[in-house]
Amino acid sequence: MLSLSCYVRYARTVHVSARRKDALTDEMTPNRLTVSLVFVSGIAVAVIGTLLSQYLRGLSTDFTGQESRHVFVPLPSEGILNVYDDNTLNVALGTKLDQLENQVENSATSVMEALMSLHMALEMKLSGKQRRAVKLFQHAMALAPCHPDVLNRYGEFLEHTQNDIIKANEFYVRALTYEPNHEGALMNSQRTARVVEELDRKMLRRIDEKRDALSTIPDNNAALIRAKKEAYFQHIYHTVGIEGNTMNLAQTRAIVETRTAVAGKSIDEHNEILGLDAAMKYINATLVNRVGSISIKDILEIHRRVLGHVDPVEGGQFRLTQVYVGGHIPPGPDDIHYLMEEFALWLNSERAIRMHPVRYAALAHYKLVHIHPFADGNGRTSRLLMNMILMQAGYPPVIIHKQHRHEYYENLQLANDGDVRPFVRFIAECTEQTLDLFLWATSKFSRQVPALSQETLFTGKHNTIVLEDKSGEIQEND
């Protein structure tokens, strides 16, 4: 369609040309006059139509812009949604900036209060008031959990006053995560590293000794068979319980054994139990005794069974959308295939296979759940992969208690922040606890399998796990 100016110029040109022609020839027949009038009328209609079209388009554009603001611009209150002038929008943006400034001020206020609490804690420590000092240190940590001075000073308090060198070293490392050149944290971390490594080795040797003791019990031992059966139900119960399943142990057992529905429970909760049962049976029947590398297909087959009853469409398929997990934003869906290929290469690398099995299994768990390749079932699949690796090395499948869900997720978050050691230590403690339960259940003095739901885990807080390989690396960074 020609523009309005083009139509006007064209109309004037035609009209002037017609007048000139009339003047030269001095002839104007009625037919020619009629044709000229029709032609000029058509141009006038076109001009009016163009003007009307542009006017309506302008209205449409303004309305569309307002509707887009409804959808794409986060407004602080519902009342503003009905007002569209620029002044109101500026007020809304100004309010947003004020809120951000208030957050910054509140953060600065929290840091100042945390440093004051830290100073008072140090004074309480010097005066011998340890209980008050602990409360003040914890208050400072709650206000500023990422402040390197707070982390370093609290670590020193734990090391020298409570003799908790493992936790102290973790705080030193966390301080260096936020300020790599922090002089105090750097010196403390280097000084305590060797002690921590030696404690790591001692725990590994202790775990290996317990595994070797369990391996001497014949497979046809009646007590061992009972313990394995009980641990199977408890493993399902705790694993789905971590994800929020509300079935108790007796209900979980009934669903697995009889496939009988439990009144008052959702279909998804039933299907989560059935899916985990199917995945564990698949691992036990095909993967545990297989010699060879772990493939992406193996992981997909595990996941297919985990979600087989809950969501058969998503089961065994990488996610196609972005997901969000608490404070962790996993990689985008476009990177999943590449990252999983890299993960499979690491799983089967000589460096990984030569690690201690507990460390290898824990890192495999963390790496897979960090990638978060599935829309759902990532935690269950990661724990099953970890236990498959442990079982291949002769360990019983580790049971992570649902009561320790908070500590489980907290250690995963610490790994996301840069220090994977607390998570590996957590898995090591779970491994030793599971071994203790099997050894107790098969001893001649035991009469029943202990209840794994009891609060018996983590009674010794000085256990740790070595993360150093032959290259001398202390922390897993690849």
Side-chain angles (χ1 to χ4, degrees):
M1 179 181 291
L2 296 174
S3 65
L4 176 60
S5 59
C6 291
Y7 277 121
V8 173
R9 288 198 298 271
Y10 182 64
R12 288 176 178 174
T13 302
V14 172
H15 185 60
V16 170
S17 298
R19 292 179 58 187
R20 287 177 179 175
K21 188 173 183 180
D22 290 342
L24 291 173
T25 61
D26 216 17
E27 296 177 357
M28 181 66 69
T29 63
N31 291 336
R32 295 178 63 185
L33 180 61
T34 302
V35 171
S36 297
L37 290 173
V38 171
F39 185 75
V40 173
S41 299
I43 293 174
V45 171
V47 171
I48 295 172
T50 302
L51 291 172
L52 183 60
S53 175
Q54 290 185 347
Y55 175 75
L56 293 175
R57 189 186 302 117
L59 290 179
S60 176
T61 302
D62 292 341
F63 182 77
T64 303
Q66 293 169 359
E67 288 300 314
S68 297
R69 190 174 299 164
H70 274 297
V71 175
F72 298 109
V73 179
L75 299 176
S77 66
E78 185 178 357
I80 295 179
L81 296 177
N82 297 321
V83 186
Y84 302 106
D85 59 281
D86 292 337
N87 292 331
T88 304
L89 182 60
N90 289 335
V91 171
L93 293 176
T95 303
K96 207 75 172 177
L97 292 175
D98 292 340
Q99 292 175 351
L100 292 175
E101 291 177 358
N102 289 336
Q103 291 177 0
V104 173
E105 292 178 0
N106 291 336
S107 177
T109 302
S110 296
V111 171
M112 291 180 60
E113 185 179 348
L115 293 178
M116 291 179 59
S117 181
L118 175 63
H119 179 71
M120 295 175 62
L122 294 174
E123 290 183 350
M124 292 296 104
K125 173 187 173 183
L126 292 176
S127 61
K129 300 177 181 178
Q130 304 300 332
R131 290 186 177 180
R132 292 187 179 181
V134 169
K135 292 182 179 180
L136 288 168
F137 274 120
Q138 291 175 347
H139 181 62
M141 281 290 299
L143 291 171
C146 302
H147 198 286
D149 290 337
V150 174
L151 290 165
N152 182 58
R153 288 295 190 178
Y154 191 27
E156 291 175 345
F157 176 80
L158 293 174
E159 178 185 359
H160 300 299
T161 305
Q162 300 189 1
N163 198 31
D164 194 345
I165 192 169
I166 303 301
K167 201 66 178 178
N169 180 263
E170 291 178 6
F171 278 117
Y172 300 149
V173 173
R174 285 173 61 184
L176 293 173
T177 300
Y178 301 111
E179 188 177 333
N181 296 323
H182 192 283
E183 184 176 353
L186 189 61
M187 293 178 59
N188 289 330
S189 175
Q190 293 174 345
R191 175 175 48 79
T192 56
R194 292 187 177 276
V195 180
V196 171
E197 293 166 19
E198 181 56 33
L199 291 173
D200 287 340
R201 294 187 179 92
K202 288 176 63 176
M203 185 179 189
L204 286 178
R205 289 193 293 267
R206 186 170 65 248
I207 291 175
D208 287 342
E209 290 172 358
K210 293 179 179 180
R211 177 202 58 181
D212 294 341
L214 183 62
S215 65
T216 61
I217 302 174
D219 291 337
N220 59 356
N221 181 280
L224 181 60
I225 294 174
R226 288 195 303 271
K228 286 182 178 180
K229 185 176 181 180
E230 179 66 21
Y232 185 88
F233 297 126
Q234 301 243 11
H235 184 274
I236 295 176
Y237 162 67
H238 285 286
T239 298
V240 298
I242 289 176
E243 307 296 334
N245 194 297
T246 61
M247 295 282 188
N248 60 35
L249 179 58
Q251 292 168 338
T252 302
R253 183 195 299 270
I255 292 172
V256 173
E257 288 186 323
T258 67
R259 297 300 198 262
T260 302
V262 177
K265 300 296 183 179
S266 69
I267 295 176
D268 282 347
E269 287 184 307
H270 287 80
N271 288 334
E272 286 171 359
I273 293 171
L274 295 175
L276 196 64
D277 175 48
M280 290 173 65
K281 288 178 178 176
Y282 170 74
I283 292 173
N284 292 339
T286 62
L287 299 181
V288 171
N289 296 317
R290 193 188 68 184
V291 177
S293 61
I294 303 172
S295 66
I296 294 179
K297 182 181 178 181
D298 296 331
I299 298 173
L300 291 175
E301 288 298 327
I302 294 173
H303 183 260
R304 190 188 312 279
R305 287 159 176 81
V306 168
L307 284 194
H309 293 79
V310 178
D311 192 344
V313 176
E314 292 288 347
Q317 302 293 326
F318 292 140
R319 58 182 167 88
L320 301 177
T321 58
Q322 182 64 54
V323 294
Y324 304 90
V325 188
H328 171 55
I329 302 179
D334 294 338
D335 299 325
I336 296 299
H337 286 275
Y338 167 75
L339 292 173
M340 287 301 294
E341 289 175 358
E342 290 291 311
F343 176 60
L345 289 175
W346 175 84
L347 271 178
N348 301 294
S349 65
E350 182 179 357
R351 177 187 177 189
I353 295 174
R354 293 182 64 179
M355 293 178 184
H356 189 279
V358 172
R359 182 192 182 211
Y360 175 37
L363 289 177
H365 178 176
Y366 168 69
K367 287 175 179 286
L368 182 59
V369 83
H370 181 80
I371 297 172
H372 227 74
F374 309 111
D376 189 21
N378 293 276
R380 282 163 282 172
T381 303
S382 298
R383 291 190 288 275
L384 288 171
L385 175 65
M386 173 186 70
N387 279 330
M388 183 189 76
I389 294 173
L390 287 173
M391 286 189 288
Q392 287 178 339
Y395 297 86
V398 166
I399 299 173
I400 300 176
H401 291 202
K402 60 182 292 185
Q403 290 87 346
H404 301 284
R405 176 193 312 162
H406 175 73
E407 189 167 0
Y408 170 67
Y409 286 122
E410 182 181 27
N411 286 314
L412 281 173
Q413 184 58 49
L414 290 176
N416 290 335
D417 293 338
D419 189 1
V420 75
R421 299 175 307 162
F423 178 71
V424 178
R425 290 168 183 149
F426 176 84
I427 297 301
E429 290 171 348
C430 292
T431 304
E432 185 171 20
Q433 175 71 11
T434 304
L435 283 166
D436 289 340
L437 291 167
F438 270 92
L439 291 172
W440 185 89
T442 54
S443 67
K444 62 181 181 180
F445 299 107
S446 66
R447 298 194 177 188
Q448 62 181 2
V449 179
L452 300 186
S453 60
Q454 293 175 352
E455 293 292 333
T456 57
L457 193 57
F458 312 129
T459 53
K461 279 298 182 181
H462 299 285
N463 294 336
T464 182
I465 187 72
V466 69
L467 293 183
E468 183 179 17
D469 55 21
K470 290 190 175 182
S471 64
E473 295 184 359
I474 302 300
Q475 186 172 326
E476 187 71 10
N477 294 317
D478 60 336

